Amino acid sequence: MIGLFGGTFDPIHHGHLRPALEVLTALRLRELRFVPLKHAVHRPQPQADATARVAMLRAALRAQPGFALDTRELERAGPSRTYDTLRAVRAEIGGDEPLGLLIGGDAFNGFLDWHRPRDILDLTHLIVMQRPGVALPRDTALRALLDTRRAEQPAALNQAPAGRIWLQAVTQLAISATAIRQCIARGESVRFLLPDAVFAIIEEQALYRGSVIRDAHAAPSA
Ligand code: ATP
């Protein structure tokens, strides 16, 4: 199975990397591709430009076998839609290989508001990264979807190329890119919140220093 992990990665940090490694290991993924988005659909645009975000991702992913970078959304015009990305990946790998889309538990709660969610499940499994023991979604439609699609064992994900939902317990690290940008804007160090190689790029390129102190989750753009 190949995994896909999309995000702004503005910047990539240990809160992304550790859960991603746990999924890679637990599900024995052949490869886990990090897919940085260009234009966000549901949130403010990234502050660092694509070149800087890619440089930080390359630096962070280099050390881990199985981690890979997929820049297709940066090369495509227009907003980054997961559905379009999955269709493109499917066209490349064919219809038979299982594909798993990694999303955080919070992101899963809003999954039915995404562009063509049910078509997304025709293209991929969903791997929901959850805090152990965390409550399942309350939304009735999402609960119904989970009831019909939930895989009880990871092996079920290898028995079909797409269509199942797997809840993966991962170590929760309360690190967010928003908090990292705010720290830098206040002149504080972000060392140990992200890999040293990423920290070095932020320092060298003086990234996020002039960033406005704002919360990416507080003001959705569209
Ligand atoms: P921002 O604070 O700018 O919103 P972020 O740190 O949440 O950024 P994104 O790049 O937008 O990072 O997130 C990509 C994916 O990583 C999302 O699915 C998100 O749920 C997940 N994610 C981000 N931070 C964590 C974390 N600390 N633990 C687990 N998953 C995370």
Side-chain angles (χ1 to χ4, degrees):
M1 178 162 55
I2 292 177
L4 292 182
F5 187 16
T8 38
F9 304 119
D10 187 27
I12 181 139
H13 54 70
H14 285 137
H16 301 124
L17 291 160
R18 178 66 209 178
L21 178 57
E22 291 178 1
V23 171
L24 180 85
T25 309
L27 301 184
R28 299 170 190 230
L29 300 183
R30 185 158 75 79
E31 185 173 77
L32 177 48
R33 301 181 186 173
F34 289 68
V35 190
L37 58 76
K38 180 158 70 176
H39 298 299
V41 181
H42 289 296
R43 44 167 292 151
Q45 301 309 317
Q47 289 189 27
D49 64 25
T51 309
R53 287 185 293 128
V54 163
M56 292 187 281
L57 274 159
R58 280 194 207 290
L61 305 182
R62 195 175 292 133
Q64 180 55 52
F67 279 2
L69 177 64
D70 184 328
T71 56
R72 74 184 63 234
E73 291 194 356
L74 301 176
E75 287 144 21
R76 200 171 62 211
S80 304
R81 289 197 191 279
T82 303
Y83 172 73
D84 298 329
T85 301
L86 288 166
R87 276 188 29 139
V89 172
R90 258 291 159 230
E92 280 169 24
I93 67 172
D96 295 337
E97 168 133 24
L99 199 54
L101 179 70
L102 279 63
I103 60 174
D106 292 353
F108 179 59
N109 287 330
F111 176 66
L112 289 177
D113 298 327
W114 290 19
H115 181 62
R116 304 177 72 160
R118 287 169 204 283
D119 294 332
I120 286 178
L121 272 170
D122 287 339
L123 294 164
T124 185
H125 299 303
L126 283 189
I127 314 294
V128 182
M129 297 181 285
Q130 279 214 317
R131 184 195 306 243
V134 85
L136 293 173
R138 284 204 216 129
D139 177 83
T140 316
L142 192 59
R143 279 302 288 258
L145 183 74
L146 186 57
D147 286 346
T148 50
R149 304 296 192 118
R150 186 169 177 178
E152 295 299 334
Q153 298 294 333
L157 303 176
N158 284 317
Q159 286 159 9
R164 308 301 298 271
I165 301 173
W166 171 249
L167 305 183
Q168 175 69 48
V170 293
T171 302
Q172 287 294 300
L173 299 167
I175 301 172
S176 78
T178 301
I180 287 174
R181 295 192 300 271
Q182 290 175 342
C183 238
I184 296 169
R186 289 195 301 267
E188 297 166 9
S189 174
V190 294
R191 178 172 271 150
F192 308 134
L193 293 173
L194 32 67
D196 286 345
V198 176
F199 179 70
I201 292 171
I202 290 174
E203 293 276 293
E204 274 161 32
Q205 300 192 18
L207 297 175
Y208 306 116
R209 282 196 195 162
S211 60
V212 209
I213 299 184
R214 68 178 184 193
D215 183 345
H217 300 284
S221 60

PDB file of all heavy atoms in Angstrom, residues 59-97:
ATOM      1  N   ALA A  59      14.462  18.414   3.384  1.00  0.00           N
ATOM      2  CA  ALA A  59      15.408  18.287   4.505  1.00  0.00           C
ATOM      3  C   ALA A  59      14.840  17.353   5.577  1.00  0.00           C
ATOM      4  O   ALA A  59      15.565  16.554   6.167  1.00  0.00           O
ATOM      5  CB  ALA A  59      15.703  19.662   5.092  1.00  0.00           C
ATOM      6  N   ALA A  60      13.529  17.445   5.823  1.00  0.00           N
ATOM      7  CA  ALA A  60      12.917  16.636   6.886  1.00  0.00           C
ATOM      8  C   ALA A  60      12.762  15.176   6.476  1.00  0.00           C
ATOM      9  O   ALA A  60      12.896  14.280   7.308  1.00  0.00           O
ATOM     10  CB  ALA A  60      11.535  17.207   7.235  1.00  0.00           C
ATOM     11  N   LEU A  61      12.477  14.924   5.194  1.00  0.00           N
ATOM     12  CA  LEU A  61      12.131  13.567   4.758  1.00  0.00           C
ATOM     13  C   LEU A  61      13.362  12.731   4.418  1.00  0.00           C
ATOM     14  O   LEU A  61      13.299  11.507   4.419  1.00  0.00           O
ATOM     15  CB  LEU A  61      11.193  13.622   3.537  1.00  0.00           C
ATOM     16  CG  LEU A  61       9.906  14.445   3.721  1.00  0.00           C
ATOM     17  CD1 LEU A  61       9.046  14.373   2.466  1.00  0.00           C
ATOM     18  CD2 LEU A  61       9.111  13.956   4.931  1.00  0.00           C
ATOM     19  N   ARG A  62      14.471  13.420   4.139  1.00  0.00           N
ATOM     20  CA  ARG A  62      15.697  12.754   3.676  1.00  0.00           C
ATOM     21  C   ARG A  62      16.121  11.619   4.598  1.00  0.00           C
ATOM     22  O   ARG A  62      16.539  10.558   4.154  1.00  0.00           O
ATOM     23  CB  ARG A  62      16.810  13.808   3.594  1.00  0.00           C
ATOM     24  CG  ARG A  62      18.018  13.397   2.807  1.00  0.00           C
ATOM     25  CD  ARG A  62      18.987  14.554   2.694  1.00  0.00           C
ATOM     26  NE  ARG A  62      18.477  15.652   1.877  1.00  0.00           N
ATOM     27  CZ  ARG A  62      18.513  16.935   2.196  1.00  0.00           C
ATOM     28  NH1 ARG A  62      19.049  17.315   3.347  1.00  0.00           N
ATOM     29  NH2 ARG A  62      18.035  17.855   1.400  1.00  0.00           N
ATOM     30  N   ALA A  63      15.972  11.829   5.896  1.00  0.00           N
ATOM     31  CA  ALA A  63      16.531  10.885   6.866  1.00  0.00           C
ATOM     32  C   ALA A  63      15.716   9.602   6.993  1.00  0.00           C
ATOM     33  O   ALA A  63      16.194   8.637   7.600  1.00  0.00           O
ATOM     34  CB  ALA A  63      16.615  11.564   8.232  1.00  0.00           C
ATOM     35  N   GLN A  64      14.498   9.559   6.475  1.00  0.00           N
ATOM     36  CA  GLN A  64      13.628   8.418   6.758  1.00  0.00           C
ATOM     37  C   GLN A  64      13.303   7.584   5.518  1.00  0.00           C
ATOM     38  O   GLN A  64      12.544   8.025   4.662  1.00  0.00           O
ATOM     39  CB  GLN A  64      12.304   8.913   7.391  1.00  0.00           C
ATOM     40  CG  GLN A  64      11.338   7.794   7.726  1.00  0.00           C
ATOM     41  CD  GLN A  64      11.941   6.725   8.612  1.00  0.00           C
ATOM     42  OE1 GLN A  64      12.505   7.011   9.662  1.00  0.00           O
ATOM     43  NE2 GLN A  64      11.858   5.461   8.187  1.00  0.00           N
ATOM     44  N   PRO A  65      13.859   6.348   5.434  1.00  0.00           N
ATOM     45  CA  PRO A  65      13.489   5.475   4.320  1.00  0.00           C
ATOM     46  C   PRO A  65      11.974   5.275   4.301  1.00  0.00           C
ATOM     47  O   PRO A  65      11.346   5.119   5.343  1.00  0.00           O
ATOM     48  CB  PRO A  65      14.206   4.152   4.643  1.00  0.00           C
ATOM     49  CG  PRO A  65      15.290   4.503   5.590  1.00  0.00           C
ATOM     50  CD  PRO A  65      14.816   5.710   6.355  1.00  0.00           C
ATOM     51  N   GLY A  66      11.406   5.306   3.094  1.00  0.00           N
ATOM     52  CA  GLY A  66       9.955   5.122   2.964  1.00  0.00           C
ATOM     53  C   GLY A  66       9.209   6.441   2.849  1.00  0.00           C
ATOM     54  O   GLY A  66       8.097   6.483   2.335  1.00  0.00           O
ATOM     55  N   PHE A  67       9.809   7.525   3.337  1.00  0.00           N
ATOM     56  CA  PHE A  67       9.198   8.847   3.175  1.00  0.00           C
ATOM     57  C   PHE A  67       9.601   9.416   1.811  1.00  0.00           C
ATOM     58  O   PHE A  67      10.764   9.304   1.408  1.00  0.00           O
ATOM     59  CB  PHE A  67       9.683   9.825   4.251  1.00  0.00           C
ATOM     60  CG  PHE A  67       8.974   9.706   5.583  1.00  0.00           C
ATOM     61  CD1 PHE A  67       7.997   8.749   5.806  1.00  0.00           C
ATOM     62  CD2 PHE A  67       9.285  10.579   6.627  1.00  0.00           C
ATOM     63  CE1 PHE A  67       7.346   8.650   7.037  1.00  0.00           C
ATOM     64  CE2 PHE A  67       8.645  10.488   7.862  1.00  0.00           C
ATOM     65  CZ  PHE A  67       7.674   9.522   8.070  1.00  0.00           C
ATOM     66  N   ALA A  68       8.637  10.028   1.110  1.00  0.00           N
ATOM     67  CA  ALA A  68       8.934  10.611  -0.196  1.00  0.00           C
ATOM     68  C   ALA A  68       8.161  11.916  -0.349  1.00  0.00           C
ATOM     69  O   ALA A  68       7.186  12.177   0.378  1.00  0.00           O
ATOM     70  CB  ALA A  68       8.530   9.641  -1.304  1.00  0.00           C
ATOM     71  N   LEU A  69       8.607  12.731  -1.300  1.00  0.00           N
ATOM     72  CA  LEU A  69       7.958  14.023  -1.551  1.00  0.00           C
ATOM     73  C   LEU A  69       7.254  13.959  -2.899  1.00  0.00           C
ATOM     74  O   LEU A  69       7.822  13.478  -3.882  1.00  0.00           O
ATOM     75  CB  LEU A  69       9.030  15.119  -1.565  1.00  0.00           C
ATOM     76  CG  LEU A  69       8.562  16.532  -1.877  1.00  0.00           C
ATOM     77  CD1 LEU A  69       7.606  17.038  -0.804  1.00  0.00           C
ATOM     78  CD2 LEU A  69       9.764  17.471  -1.976  1.00  0.00           C
ATOM     79  N   ASP A  70       6.022  14.451  -2.941  1.00  0.00           N
ATOM     80  CA  ASP A  70       5.254  14.469  -4.188  1.00  0.00           C
ATOM     81  C   ASP A  70       4.788  15.911  -4.405  1.00  0.00           C
ATOM     82  O   ASP A  70       3.953  16.418  -3.658  1.00  0.00           O
ATOM     83  CB  ASP A  70       4.058  13.522  -4.059  1.00  0.00           C
ATOM     84  CG  ASP A  70       3.262  13.404  -5.339  1.00  0.00           C
ATOM     85  OD1 ASP A  70       3.193  14.384  -6.094  1.00  0.00           O
ATOM     86  OD2 ASP A  70       2.673  12.326  -5.568  1.00  0.00           O
ATOM     87  N   THR A  71       5.351  16.565  -5.421  1.00  0.00           N
ATOM     88  CA  THR A  71       5.093  18.006  -5.604  1.00  0.00           C
ATOM     89  C   THR A  71       4.024  18.288  -6.664  1.00  0.00           C
ATOM     90  O   THR A  71       3.921  19.396  -7.157  1.00  0.00           O
ATOM     91  CB  THR A  71       6.396  18.744  -5.999  1.00  0.00           C
ATOM     92  OG1 THR A  71       6.923  18.126  -7.185  1.00  0.00           O
ATOM     93  CG2 THR A  71       7.423  18.693  -4.893  1.00  0.00           C
ATOM     94  N   ARG A  72       3.212  17.297  -6.980  1.00  0.00           N
ATOM     95  CA  ARG A  72       2.269  17.488  -8.101  1.00  0.00           C
ATOM     96  C   ARG A  72       1.290  18.643  -7.887  1.00  0.00           C
ATOM     97  O   ARG A  72       0.905  19.314  -8.829  1.00  0.00           O
ATOM     98  CB  ARG A  72       1.511  16.202  -8.405  1.00  0.00           C
ATOM     99  CG  ARG A  72       0.437  15.840  -7.422  1.00  0.00           C
ATOM    100  CD  ARG A  72      -0.186  14.514  -7.748  1.00  0.00           C
ATOM    101  NE  ARG A  72       0.766  13.431  -7.662  1.00  0.00           N
ATOM    102  CZ  ARG A  72       1.008  12.569  -8.647  1.00  0.00           C
ATOM    103  NH1 ARG A  72       0.345  12.645  -9.770  1.00  0.00           N
ATOM    104  NH2 ARG A  72       1.884  11.604  -8.484  1.00  0.00           N
ATOM    105  N   GLU A  73       0.886  18.901  -6.634  1.00  0.00           N
ATOM    106  CA  GLU A  73      -0.092  19.981  -6.422  1.00  0.00           C
ATOM    107  C   GLU A  73       0.543  21.347  -6.653  1.00  0.00           C
ATOM    108  O   GLU A  73      -0.140  22.292  -7.049  1.00  0.00           O
ATOM    109  CB  GLU A  73      -0.696  19.887  -5.020  1.00  0.00           C
ATOM    110  CG  GLU A  73      -1.593  18.672  -4.851  1.00  0.00           C
ATOM    111  CD  GLU A  73      -2.467  18.707  -3.607  1.00  0.00           C
ATOM    112  OE1 GLU A  73      -2.343  19.637  -2.793  1.00  0.00           O
ATOM    113  OE2 GLU A  73      -3.275  17.772  -3.453  1.00  0.00           O
ATOM    114  N   LEU A  74       1.855  21.435  -6.404  1.00  0.00           N
ATOM    115  CA  LEU A  74       2.541  22.707  -6.631  1.00  0.00           C
ATOM    116  C   LEU A  74       2.684  22.983  -8.125  1.00  0.00           C
ATOM    117  O   LEU A  74       2.754  24.129  -8.557  1.00  0.00           O
ATOM    118  CB  LEU A  74       3.938  22.679  -5.985  1.00  0.00           C
ATOM    119  CG  LEU A  74       3.956  22.431  -4.479  1.00  0.00           C
ATOM    120  CD1 LEU A  74       5.385  22.316  -3.971  1.00  0.00           C
ATOM    121  CD2 LEU A  74       3.217  23.535  -3.748  1.00  0.00           C
ATOM    122  N   GLU A  75       2.721  21.912  -8.903  1.00  0.00           N
ATOM    123  CA  GLU A  75       2.924  22.054 -10.351  1.00  0.00           C
ATOM    124  C   GLU A  75       1.608  22.248 -11.094  1.00  0.00           C
ATOM    125  O   GLU A  75       1.594  22.609 -12.264  1.00  0.00           O
ATOM    126  CB  GLU A  75       3.646  20.795 -10.887  1.00  0.00           C
ATOM    127  CG  GLU A  75       5.129  20.781 -10.472  1.00  0.00           C
ATOM    128  CD  GLU A  75       5.651  19.382 -10.174  1.00  0.00           C
ATOM    129  OE1 GLU A  75       5.038  18.410 -10.646  1.00  0.00           O
ATOM    130  OE2 GLU A  75       6.661  19.266  -9.452  1.00  0.00           O
ATOM    131  N   ARG A  76       0.487  22.028 -10.396  1.00  0.00           N
ATOM    132  CA  ARG A  76      -0.815  22.117 -11.051  1.00  0.00           C
ATOM    133  C   ARG A  76      -1.416  23.501 -10.802  1.00  0.00           C
ATOM    134  O   ARG A  76      -1.291  24.044  -9.710  1.00  0.00           O
ATOM    135  CB  ARG A  76      -1.731  21.052 -10.435  1.00  0.00           C
ATOM    136  CG  ARG A  76      -2.921  20.690 -11.282  1.00  0.00           C
ATOM    137  CD  ARG A  76      -3.632  19.472 -10.700  1.00  0.00           C
ATOM    138  NE  ARG A  76      -4.145  19.710  -9.361  1.00  0.00           N
ATOM    139  CZ  ARG A  76      -4.255  18.777  -8.428  1.00  0.00           C
ATOM    140  NH1 ARG A  76      -3.869  17.548  -8.661  1.00  0.00           N
ATOM    141  NH2 ARG A  76      -4.745  19.070  -7.241  1.00  0.00           N
ATOM    142  N   ALA A  77      -2.072  24.066 -11.833  1.00  0.00           N
ATOM    143  CA  ALA A  77      -2.708  25.382 -11.662  1.00  0.00           C
ATOM    144  C   ALA A  77      -3.983  25.229 -10.833  1.00  0.00           C
ATOM    145  O   ALA A  77      -4.574  24.163 -10.798  1.00  0.00           O
ATOM    146  CB  ALA A  77      -3.038  25.963 -13.033  1.00  0.00           C
ATOM    147  N   GLY A  78      -4.366  26.315 -10.168  1.00  0.00           N
ATOM    148  CA  GLY A  78      -5.646  26.323  -9.470  1.00  0.00           C
ATOM    149  C   GLY A  78      -5.565  25.743  -8.072  1.00  0.00           C
ATOM    150  O   GLY A  78      -4.490  25.391  -7.592  1.00  0.00           O
ATOM    151  N   PRO A  79      -6.724  25.649  -7.398  1.00  0.00           N
ATOM    152  CA  PRO A  79      -6.737  25.174  -6.017  1.00  0.00           C
ATOM    153  C   PRO A  79      -6.354  23.702  -5.923  1.00  0.00           C
ATOM    154  O   PRO A  79      -6.505  22.951  -6.885  1.00  0.00           O
ATOM    155  CB  PRO A  79      -8.197  25.369  -5.582  1.00  0.00           C
ATOM    156  CG  PRO A  79      -8.979  25.469  -6.831  1.00  0.00           C
ATOM    157  CD  PRO A  79      -8.059  25.982  -7.899  1.00  0.00           C
ATOM    158  N   SER A  80      -5.815  23.315  -4.748  1.00  0.00           N
ATOM    159  CA  SER A  80      -5.403  21.933  -4.542  1.00  0.00           C
ATOM    160  C   SER A  80      -6.601  21.146  -4.026  1.00  0.00           C
ATOM    161  O   SER A  80      -7.055  21.363  -2.914  1.00  0.00           O
ATOM    162  CB  SER A  80      -4.279  21.892  -3.514  1.00  0.00           C
ATOM    163  OG  SER A  80      -3.209  22.707  -3.932  1.00  0.00           O
ATOM    164  N   ARG A  81      -7.122  20.262  -4.839  1.00  0.00           N
ATOM    165  CA  ARG A  81      -8.243  19.429  -4.410  1.00  0.00           C
ATOM    166  C   ARG A  81      -7.761  17.989  -4.291  1.00  0.00           C
ATOM    167  O   ARG A  81      -7.202  17.428  -5.230  1.00  0.00           O
ATOM    168  CB  ARG A  81      -9.392  19.492  -5.404  1.00  0.00           C
ATOM    169  CG  ARG A  81     -10.117  20.821  -5.408  1.00  0.00           C
ATOM    170  CD  ARG A  81     -11.465  20.665  -6.096  1.00  0.00           C
ATOM    171  NE  ARG A  81     -12.106  21.939  -6.374  1.00  0.00           N
ATOM    172  CZ  ARG A  81     -12.791  22.645  -5.482  1.00  0.00           C
ATOM    173  NH1 ARG A  81     -12.918  22.202  -4.251  1.00  0.00           N
ATOM    174  NH2 ARG A  81     -13.350  23.786  -5.826  1.00  0.00           N
ATOM    175  N   THR A  82      -8.037  17.401  -3.131  1.00  0.00           N
ATOM    176  CA  THR A  82      -7.576  16.033  -2.875  1.00  0.00           C
ATOM    177  C   THR A  82      -8.105  15.070  -3.931  1.00  0.00           C
ATOM    178  O   THR A  82      -7.395  14.162  -4.372  1.00  0.00           O
ATOM    179  CB  THR A  82      -8.055  15.615  -1.471  1.00  0.00           C
ATOM    180  OG1 THR A  82      -7.550  16.577  -0.545  1.00  0.00           O
ATOM    181  CG2 THR A  82      -7.552  14.247  -1.095  1.00  0.00           C
ATOM    182  N   TYR A  83      -9.367  15.282  -4.337  1.00  0.00           N
ATOM    183  CA  TYR A  83      -9.969  14.389  -5.331  1.00  0.00           C
ATOM    184  C   TYR A  83      -9.135  14.358  -6.621  1.00  0.00           C
ATOM    185  O   TYR A  83      -8.856  13.289  -7.172  1.00  0.00           O
ATOM    186  CB  TYR A  83     -11.403  14.833  -5.614  1.00  0.00           C
ATOM    187  CG  TYR A  83     -12.045  14.102  -6.763  1.00  0.00           C
ATOM    188  CD1 TYR A  83     -12.453  12.780  -6.631  1.00  0.00           C
ATOM    189  CD2 TYR A  83     -12.222  14.736  -8.000  1.00  0.00           C
ATOM    190  CE1 TYR A  83     -13.028  12.102  -7.698  1.00  0.00           C
ATOM    191  CE2 TYR A  83     -12.793  14.062  -9.068  1.00  0.00           C
ATOM    192  CZ  TYR A  83     -13.192  12.738  -8.915  1.00  0.00           C
ATOM    193  OH  TYR A  83     -13.745  12.070  -9.968  1.00  0.00           O
ATOM    194  N   ASP A  84      -8.716  15.546  -7.106  1.00  0.00           N
ATOM    195  CA  ASP A  84      -7.931  15.619  -8.349  1.00  0.00           C
ATOM    196  C   ASP A  84      -6.575  14.931  -8.171  1.00  0.00           C
ATOM    197  O   ASP A  84      -6.092  14.229  -9.065  1.00  0.00           O
ATOM    198  CB  ASP A  84      -7.699  17.081  -8.754  1.00  0.00           C
ATOM    199  CG  ASP A  84      -9.009  17.808  -9.028  1.00  0.00           C
ATOM    200  OD1 ASP A  84      -9.968  17.141  -9.486  1.00  0.00           O
ATOM    201  OD2 ASP A  84      -9.085  19.014  -8.766  1.00  0.00           O
ATOM    202  N   THR A  85      -5.971  15.153  -7.006  1.00  0.00           N
ATOM    203  CA  THR A  85      -4.668  14.545  -6.732  1.00  0.00           C
ATOM    204  C   THR A  85      -4.781  13.021  -6.731  1.00  0.00           C
ATOM    205  O   THR A  85      -3.963  12.318  -7.319  1.00  0.00           O
ATOM    206  CB  THR A  85      -4.141  15.034  -5.365  1.00  0.00           C
ATOM    207  OG1 THR A  85      -4.038  16.452  -5.434  1.00  0.00           O
ATOM    208  CG2 THR A  85      -2.800  14.427  -5.014  1.00  0.00           C
ATOM    209  N   LEU A  86      -5.833  12.519  -6.083  1.00  0.00           N
ATOM    210  CA  LEU A  86      -6.007  11.067  -6.009  1.00  0.00           C
ATOM    211  C   LEU A  86      -6.253  10.466  -7.383  1.00  0.00           C
ATOM    212  O   LEU A  86      -5.762   9.391  -7.702  1.00  0.00           O
ATOM    213  CB  LEU A  86      -7.178  10.736  -5.070  1.00  0.00           C
ATOM    214  CG  LEU A  86      -6.880  10.966  -3.585  1.00  0.00           C
ATOM    215  CD1 LEU A  86      -8.176  10.941  -2.777  1.00  0.00           C
ATOM    216  CD2 LEU A  86      -5.917   9.906  -3.058  1.00  0.00           C
ATOM    217  N   ARG A  87      -7.013  11.179  -8.212  1.00  0.00           N
ATOM    218  CA  ARG A  87      -7.261  10.673  -9.572  1.00  0.00           C
ATOM    219  C   ARG A  87      -5.953  10.572 -10.349  1.00  0.00           C
ATOM    220  O   ARG A  87      -5.706   9.606 -11.062  1.00  0.00           O
ATOM    221  CB  ARG A  87      -8.243  11.586 -10.304  1.00  0.00           C
ATOM    222  CG  ARG A  87      -9.668  11.209  -9.956  1.00  0.00           C
ATOM    223  CD  ARG A  87     -10.690  11.917 -10.771  1.00  0.00           C
ATOM    224  NE  ARG A  87     -10.250  12.281 -12.091  1.00  0.00           N
ATOM    225  CZ  ARG A  87     -10.993  12.182 -13.178  1.00  0.00           C
ATOM    226  NH1 ARG A  87     -12.203  11.676 -13.094  1.00  0.00           N
ATOM    227  NH2 ARG A  87     -10.548  12.589 -14.334  1.00  0.00           N
ATOM    228  N   ALA A  88      -5.101  11.595 -10.191  1.00  0.00           N
ATOM    229  CA  ALA A  88      -3.821  11.601 -10.898  1.00  0.00           C
ATOM    230  C   ALA A  88      -2.922  10.465 -10.403  1.00  0.00           C
ATOM    231  O   ALA A  88      -2.280   9.763 -11.196  1.00  0.00           O
ATOM    232  CB  ALA A  88      -3.133  12.951 -10.716  1.00  0.00           C
ATOM    233  N   VAL A  89      -2.893  10.262  -9.083  1.00  0.00           N
ATOM    234  CA  VAL A  89      -2.055   9.187  -8.534  1.00  0.00           C
ATOM    235  C   VAL A  89      -2.577   7.830  -8.998  1.00  0.00           C
ATOM    236  O   VAL A  89      -1.822   6.953  -9.406  1.00  0.00           O
ATOM    237  CB  VAL A  89      -2.009   9.266  -6.986  1.00  0.00           C
ATOM    238  CG1 VAL A  89      -1.311   8.050  -6.399  1.00  0.00           C
ATOM    239  CG2 VAL A  89      -1.306  10.549  -6.541  1.00  0.00           C
ATOM    240  N   ARG A  90      -3.898   7.667  -8.949  1.00  0.00           N
ATOM    241  CA  ARG A  90      -4.520   6.410  -9.410  1.00  0.00           C
ATOM    242  C   ARG A  90      -4.165   6.106 -10.865  1.00  0.00           C
ATOM    243  O   ARG A  90      -3.880   4.968 -11.230  1.00  0.00           O
ATOM    244  CB  ARG A  90      -6.030   6.513  -9.312  1.00  0.00           C
ATOM    245  CG  ARG A  90      -6.650   5.850  -8.165  1.00  0.00           C
ATOM    246  CD  ARG A  90      -6.594   4.338  -8.223  1.00  0.00           C
ATOM    247  NE  ARG A  90      -6.765   3.803  -6.877  1.00  0.00           N
ATOM    248  CZ  ARG A  90      -5.985   2.903  -6.307  1.00  0.00           C
ATOM    249  NH1 ARG A  90      -4.966   2.393  -6.925  1.00  0.00           N
ATOM    250  NH2 ARG A  90      -6.219   2.481  -5.095  1.00  0.00           N
ATOM    251  N   ALA A  91      -4.179   7.164 -11.702  1.00  0.00           N
ATOM    252  CA  ALA A  91      -3.882   6.966 -13.122  1.00  0.00           C
ATOM    253  C   ALA A  91      -2.450   6.440 -13.280  1.00  0.00           C
ATOM    254  O   ALA A  91      -2.166   5.658 -14.181  1.00  0.00           O
ATOM    255  CB  ALA A  91      -4.061   8.278 -13.882  1.00  0.00           C
ATOM    256  N   GLU A  92      -1.574   6.851 -12.368  1.00  0.00           N
ATOM    257  CA  GLU A  92      -0.174   6.415 -12.465  1.00  0.00           C
ATOM    258  C   GLU A  92       0.057   5.014 -11.919  1.00  0.00           C
ATOM    259  O   GLU A  92       0.792   4.233 -12.507  1.00  0.00           O
ATOM    260  CB  GLU A  92       0.718   7.374 -11.667  1.00  0.00           C
ATOM    261  CG  GLU A  92       1.037   8.646 -12.395  1.00  0.00           C
ATOM    262  CD  GLU A  92       1.696   9.660 -11.478  1.00  0.00           C
ATOM    263  OE1 GLU A  92       2.304   9.270 -10.461  1.00  0.00           O
ATOM    264  OE2 GLU A  92       1.570  10.854 -11.786  1.00  0.00           O
ATOM    265  N   ILE A  93      -0.574   4.708 -10.783  1.00  0.00           N
ATOM    266  CA  ILE A  93      -0.247   3.423 -10.136  1.00  0.00           C
ATOM    267  C   ILE A  93      -1.194   2.311 -10.573  1.00  0.00           C
ATOM    268  O   ILE A  93      -0.977   1.142 -10.243  1.00  0.00           O
ATOM    269  CB  ILE A  93      -0.232   3.528  -8.585  1.00  0.00           C
ATOM    270  CG1 ILE A  93      -1.637   3.799  -8.032  1.00  0.00           C
ATOM    271  CG2 ILE A  93       0.751   4.591  -8.122  1.00  0.00           C
ATOM    272  CD1 ILE A  93      -1.695   3.711  -6.504  1.00  0.00           C
ATOM    273  N   GLY A  94      -2.260   2.659 -11.289  1.00  0.00           N
ATOM    274  CA  GLY A  94      -3.219   1.645 -11.730  1.00  0.00           C
ATOM    275  C   GLY A  94      -4.293   1.421 -10.676  1.00  0.00           C
ATOM    276  O   GLY A  94      -4.239   1.980  -9.581  1.00  0.00           O
ATOM    277  N   GLY A  95      -5.256   0.575 -11.008  1.00  0.00           N
ATOM    278  CA  GLY A  95      -6.440   0.423 -10.149  1.00  0.00           C
ATOM    279  C   GLY A  95      -6.285  -0.582  -9.029  1.00  0.00           C
ATOM    280  O   GLY A  95      -7.133  -0.644  -8.137  1.00  0.00           O
ATOM    281  N   ASP A  96      -5.222  -1.381  -9.020  1.00  0.00           N
ATOM    282  CA  ASP A  96      -5.172  -2.520  -8.096  1.00  0.00           C
ATOM    283  C   ASP A  96      -4.459  -2.255  -6.777  1.00  0.00           C
ATOM    284  O   ASP A  96      -4.789  -2.847  -5.758  1.00  0.00           O
ATOM    285  CB  ASP A  96      -4.473  -3.711  -8.777  1.00  0.00           C
ATOM    286  CG  ASP A  96      -5.284  -4.217  -9.953  1.00  0.00           C
ATOM    287  OD1 ASP A  96      -6.516  -3.973  -9.966  1.00  0.00           O
ATOM    288  OD2 ASP A  96      -4.698  -4.833 -10.866  1.00  0.00           O
ATOM    289  N   GLU A  97      -3.443  -1.390  -6.797  1.00  0.00           N
ATOM    290  CA  GLU A  97      -2.643  -1.202  -5.572  1.00  0.00           C
ATOM    291  C   GLU A  97      -3.442  -0.419  -4.526  1.00  0.00           C
ATOM    292  O   GLU A  97      -3.982   0.657  -4.802  1.00  0.00           O
ATOM    293  CB  GLU A  97      -1.344  -0.438  -5.893  1.00  0.00           C
ATOM    294  CG  GLU A  97      -0.629   0.026  -4.634  1.00  0.00           C
ATOM    295  CD  GLU A  97       0.858  -0.246  -4.605  1.00  0.00           C
ATOM    296  OE1 GLU A  97       1.451  -0.376  -5.687  1.00  0.00           O
ATOM    297  OE2 GLU A  97       1.405  -0.318  -3.493  1.00  0.00           O
TER     298      GLU A  97
END
